[in-house]
């Protein structure tokens, strides 16, 4: 795959994850109004934090995409991809710990069961929206790996090898001249 195409795909995958997280945030915000919940607030804060981190990843991906444009700047691309990758890893960790962990999903089900039908429907919809974020996040991780692979292949293809050779005459003093210069022969 061409370098430019791979980085365009990265931006697209970041956008798809953004859409999934945005849908999740909407679902969380549509909770029943009868009373609040610390779980709702924690889920909402986590998604907002992830969206903020995702924005940083998108900015870095755009910078990386500019680096692969003509003229090619692999160092700029590498630095920007490193930032993007770090942000994506952070989002994945936060997703696993704050949204999709067994404990969080159990709390969500428990909240729905304790508060009745409206909350149960909300909890089911929220759990489904969380699950719908998994696939875009996994695809994003695969795309980041492809970007690194493209950079490595491109860097390897453009490497320059330098080899020194001796050109010209080599002047070596004769043994008699060596003696005249104060050199002694060592047996």
């Amino acid at each position: 795959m061409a370098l430019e195409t791979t980085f365009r795909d990265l931006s697209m995958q970041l956008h798809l994850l953004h859409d999934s997280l945005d849908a999740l945030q909407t679902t969380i915000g549509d909770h029943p109004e009868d009373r609040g919940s610390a779980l709702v607030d924690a889920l909402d804060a986590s998604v907002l934090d992830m969206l903020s981190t995702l924005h940083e990843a998108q900015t870095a991906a755009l910078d990386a995409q500019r680096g692969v444009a003509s003229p090619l700047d692999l160092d700029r691309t590498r630095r920007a991809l490193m930032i993007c990758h770090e942000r994506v890893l952070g989002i994945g960790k936060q997703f696993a710990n704050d949204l999709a962990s067994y404990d969080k999903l159990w709390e969500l089900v428990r909240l729905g069961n304790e508060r009745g039908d409206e909350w149960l429907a909300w909890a089911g919809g929220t759990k489904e929206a969380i699950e719908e974020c998994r696939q875009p996040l996994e695809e994003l991780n695969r795309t980041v790996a492809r970007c690194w692979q493209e950079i490595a292949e491109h860097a390897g293809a453009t490497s320059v090898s330098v080899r020194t050779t001796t050109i010209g005459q080599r002047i070596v003093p004769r043994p008699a001249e060596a003696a005249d210069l104060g050199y002694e022969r060592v047996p």
Side-chain angles (χ1 to χ4, degrees), residues 46-62:
S46 183
V47 172
L48 279 173
D49 191 40
M50 290 170 65
L51 284 167
S52 175
T53 304
L54 183 62
H55 178 71
E56 293 174 17
Q58 288 173 311
T59 301
L62 186 59

Side-chain angles (χ1 to χ4, degrees), residues 58-74:
Q58 288 173 311
T59 301
L62 186 59
D63 192 31
Q65 199 170 356
R66 288 184 188 124
V68 298
S70 186
L72 178 64
D73 185 350
L74 278 181

Side-chain angles (χ1 to χ4, degrees), residues 81-108:
L81 182 59
M82 186 174 56
I83 292 168
C84 179
H85 193 185
E86 287 173 351
R87 299 311 182 268
V88 168
L89 289 173
I91 291 167
K93 183 177 180 180
Q94 190 169 9
F95 178 79
N97 293 335
D98 297 350
L99 298 176
S101 71
Y102 178 81
D103 292 339
K104 291 293 180 181
L105 294 175
W106 176 251
E107 285 181 52
L108 194 59

